[in-house]
Amino acid sequence: MHLDPRIIRGIAIGLAILLLYGSRLTKGSVSQTPDGLAFRIKPLFAWSRAIALPAYILFFAYITLSQKQPVPWWMALLFIAAIALGVMQMPGTITLTPTAVTQRFWFQPSKTIQYNEVMAIQAMQGGRMTSVIGDNRVKITHTSNHCAATEFQQELERRTGKRVIL
């Protein structure tokens, strides 16, 4: 049985799209840690990034090898910079500690807003995204890639005494 490369490419692209956008359909669950309630990235989102990033690199390598022309060094450097920027933009884990909302990233500094410094809690995209705005100019955003959006909003309302603005 011979498989046509176009069929394999179509299946690969279909799986990539399913993984990248399927994570938005899952809910995820909040976990209790010693620091407090942790709202991590949804597992399907993290796995899709773990699959998509190497797939992008392999796709770039395939294109460069199939063209049989030398790739300028600046093009490869630009590609690596784009991947690094994408990894830096990954949403960090949000933790509701007993005294504050914190967000930790892989390659960026952490953000912290004390509960008494919360100015507003704003819901967007039909409640799938929530921004916590502090009076210290810090903004923590619970995106659709984080787990348990409704639980996050309810727990913030309970801890801060402020209502979510729709």
Side-chain angles (χ1 to χ4, degrees):
M1 179 177 173
H2 176 64
L3 290 175
D4 187 16
R6 288 180 289 182
I7 293 174
I8 294 173
R9 270 187 247 145
I11 291 171
I13 290 171
L15 285 174
I17 290 171
L18 180 68
L19 281 175
L20 291 173
Y21 296 106
S23 67
R24 300 185 191 281
L25 302 176
T26 60
K27 183 180 175 191
S29 61
V30 63
S31 59
Q32 180 67 40
T33 64
D35 294 335
L37 293 175
F39 296 86
R40 294 185 169 94
I41 296 172
K42 294 176 188 176
L44 187 58
F45 177 77
W47 279 104
S48 69
R49 293 303 183 253
I51 292 170
L53 192 58
Y56 289 145
I57 293 169
L58 290 174
F59 178 72
F60 182 75
Y62 169 75
I63 293 298
T64 58
L65 292 174
S66 66
Q67 294 296 321
K68 299 195 185 343
Q69 293 179 0
V71 176
W73 65 270
W74 57 268
M75 181 87 102
L77 185 66
L78 191 64
F79 178 72
I80 291 170
I83 289 176
L85 185 67
V87 170
M88 287 180 64
Q89 297 299 319
M90 294 268 302
T93 300
I94 299 173
T95 306
L96 298 180
T97 67
T99 59
V101 182
T102 61
Q103 187 171 19
R104 292 187 183 93
F105 298 93
W106 284 3
F107 302 112
Q108 293 180 10
S110 298
K111 296 179 180 180
T112 302
I113 303 174
Q114 301 294 325
Y115 291 131
N116 59 355
E117 296 175 350
V118 172
M119 289 178 42
I121 306 167
Q122 185 177 14
M124 298 166 280
Q125 293 183 357
R128 290 185 314 234
M129 278 183 63
T130 306
S131 290
V132 182
I133 303 164
D135 64 359
N136 55 356
R137 295 188 179 175
V138 174
K139 182 178 180 181
I140 294 176
T141 304
H142 182 283
T143 66
S144 58
N145 298 322
H146 286 98
C147 63
T150 55
E151 288 86 350
F152 180 74
Q153 290 175 359
Q154 291 169 351
E155 193 62 29
L156 265 178
E157 283 182 341
R158 187 182 72 74
R159 292 181 186 216
T160 62
K162 301 204 183 294
R163 302 288 302 160
V164 174
I165 301 169
L166 298 174

